[in-house]
Amino acid sequence: CGPAALAMALGAAGLATPPEQLARQVFLPGREGTLQIEMLAGARRNGALAIELPGRLDALLSETAAGHPVVVLLNLGLSWAPSWHYAVVIGYDLDEAAFLLRSGPIERQVLPFETFERTWARGGNWAFVVLPPGQLAASADEASTTTALVAFEKTAPPLRTATAYRSALERWPGSLTLAMGLGNSLYKAGALPEAEAAFRSRSEEHTSELQSRITI
């Protein structure tokens, strides 16, 4: 179910990848499944941002409302006899108080909020979205987004990483880490004037902030 769920999320992000290819990348025969860290790495390896979400129902509602399918880990068994399962939340129905999921071979599974919340909690309330560079999760905060970008930078082409950092800086313009990430990505891509401008701009802003604090 891990490769299938990841393939669906990548396809929705415009990065179609065959499940068979993903299975070779993320499936662990010894564990007869896929760990969360492999799911995140598999998304990044195929050109996508993988951003972990807060473990709250409102985060899932925000992402699906924004058109972002959400990969979730459910425990369909019991706490002492787990049955792990990855599914993809693709929508919700407030009138029916239910989520809509792609779950294995089931293209449209309707799962009541109460049932979903119970099985999701047994899975640790773990969820993430798969997005193309330039898009951001609707519910993720600066810290989780920065973590995702730093991990993405390790495998993605520099210009794609720069696109992702620019998008994040539009939402959090005061972030020194994101600004340095943008400058580093541009430098790696050989865009030296742009890299210098990025470093200089943030350095001047940071210096001004420090002087303001000292003056106060």
Side-chain angles (χ1 to χ4, degrees), residues 174-176 202 204-216:
S175 171
L176 179 60
R202 191 62 189 110
E204 291 173 352
E205 292 175 5
H206 188 59
T207 300
S208 177
E209 291 172 4
L210 290 176
Q211 290 176 340
S212 176
R213 293 174 186 174
I214 293 173
T215 300
I216 293 174

Side-chain angles (χ1 to χ4, degrees), residues 39-153:
M39 293 287 282
L40 298 172
R44 293 162 182 154
R45 191 179 295 122
N46 289 281
L49 279 177
I51 304 177
E52 294 188 65
L53 303 180
R56 306 189 310 268
L57 288 180
D58 66 288
L60 301 188
L61 295 173
S62 296
E63 295 303 329
T64 51
H68 303 156
V70 182
V71 180
V72 295
L73 178 62
L74 307 177
N75 179 1
L76 304 180
L78 301 171
S79 59
W80 51 271
S83 177
W84 306 111
H85 178 66
Y86 289 105
V88 184
V89 179
I90 58 174
Y92 57 87
D93 186 329
L94 292 179
D95 292 332
E96 296 293 329
F99 280 113
L100 307 178
L101 292 83
R102 289 277 178 87
S103 181
I106 304 174
E107 291 191 2
R108 183 183 174 87
Q109 180 183 22
V110 179
L111 202 61
F113 286 162
E114 183 179 354
T115 303
F116 176 88
E117 191 168 15
R118 186 168 59 251
T119 56
W120 189 38
R122 289 201 297 259
N125 292 99
W126 188 80
F128 77 103
V129 291
V130 174
L131 300 172
Q135 291 189 25
L136 297 176
S139 61
D141 59 17
E142 180 182 344
S144 59
T145 301
T146 301
T147 298
L149 284 167
V150 171
F152 182 66
E153 184 179 353

